[in-house]
Every structure is written in C-alpha cells, then in structure tokens.
Amino acid sequence: MSLQDKYKELTDLASNLGISNLQVREQDNVLYIDGAAKSADDKEKLWSAYGKIDPDFRSADVVMNITVAEGVTTEYTVKSGDSLSKIGKEYCISWQTIYEANKDVIKNPDLIQPG
C-alpha cells in the first residue's frame, strides 16, 4: 500500500476543505502535504484526521505543512432573516469573528440589516 493510499482520507479531507495550493507528493517513503487552510479550525480538522490514522504519530511517514491563510475575506450581503450566527454557521466561523471583522458597519450584533 502506498502512502497516498494509506492517507487518502486525509488528502481527500484537505481537498474537501478547499486547502489552497494543495500539494501532495511522496518522496523517500514520506508523504508531504502542503497548502493553506482558510482557518485554524480547518487546519485542526486535518490534524485530527491524521491522528485517527496514526494515533501516536509514530509512523513518521507524513510531513504536513499547512499554514492558515491570512487576510482571507469573503464578501456577503445580508438577506432578510439572517443573523450573524446563521451566517457564521454557513461559513464555519463564529458570529463573534464576523462581528469583530465588521465592527465598522455593525453597531449591534443582534440587529443586522439586509443589504
């Protein structure tokens, strides 16, 4: 079994999470996984998946170099019925993170306006 087969679940997760600049290569019996995650939470998901495959991290056959992309922003237009919690759930971030990033336009996190 190749390392790419052994860690297919991990590399599939990286693809599904949208890890940018994802590079997976096998060299000298080591699988190298490089890229940039959208959030620290996504990076932690990868490490958790790796921990399920190699619980004690003893195989020493994977090198994961996953950074967290800085300054990644997403533009979103508030619709009727939205809340910061609802938007945060859709993008897998906390409502507090949205509020902190938008304090200049959101005066009260409980009262957001469409548009």
Side-chain angles (χ1 to χ4, degrees):
M1 172 190 294
S2 74
L3 291 175
Q4 290 198 22
D5 291 335
K6 178 179 177 181
Y7 292 104
K8 183 173 181 356
E9 181 180 335
L10 179 61
T11 56
D12 286 350
L13 177 60
S15 292
N16 292 338
L17 290 172
I19 302 299
S20 61
N21 301 317
L22 180 62
Q23 296 178 23
V24 179
R25 68 189 185 289
E26 194 171 332
Q27 181 180 340
D28 299 325
N29 298 318
V30 176
L31 186 67
Y32 294 87
I33 304 171
D34 302 303
K38 295 176 195 169
S39 68
D41 187 50
D42 284 353
K43 182 177 178 176
E44 184 58 35
K45 287 176 186 174
L46 290 171
W47 281 103
S48 292
Y50 175 49
K52 289 177 185 172
I53 298 167
D54 185 8
D56 297 322
F57 303 102
R58 290 187 180 184
S59 295
D61 57 0
V62 168
V63 173
M64 255 197 313
N65 182 23
I66 303 296
T67 60
V68 176
E70 294 294 325
V72 173
T73 61
T74 300
E75 191 170 309
Y76 180 86
T77 302
V78 176
K79 297 182 282 294
S80 181
D82 276 348
S83 68
L84 293 184
S85 296
K86 182 179 174 184
I87 297 166
K89 187 174 184 178
E90 183 177 333
Y91 289 93
C92 299
I93 59 173
S94 72
W95 71 265
Q96 294 94 336
T97 301
I98 297 170
Y99 176 64
E100 288 298 320
N102 294 281
K103 275 187 172 180
D104 57 328
V105 292
I106 301 174
K107 303 304 175 207
N108 180 343
D110 293 323
L111 298 172
I112 60 174
Q113 301 298 317

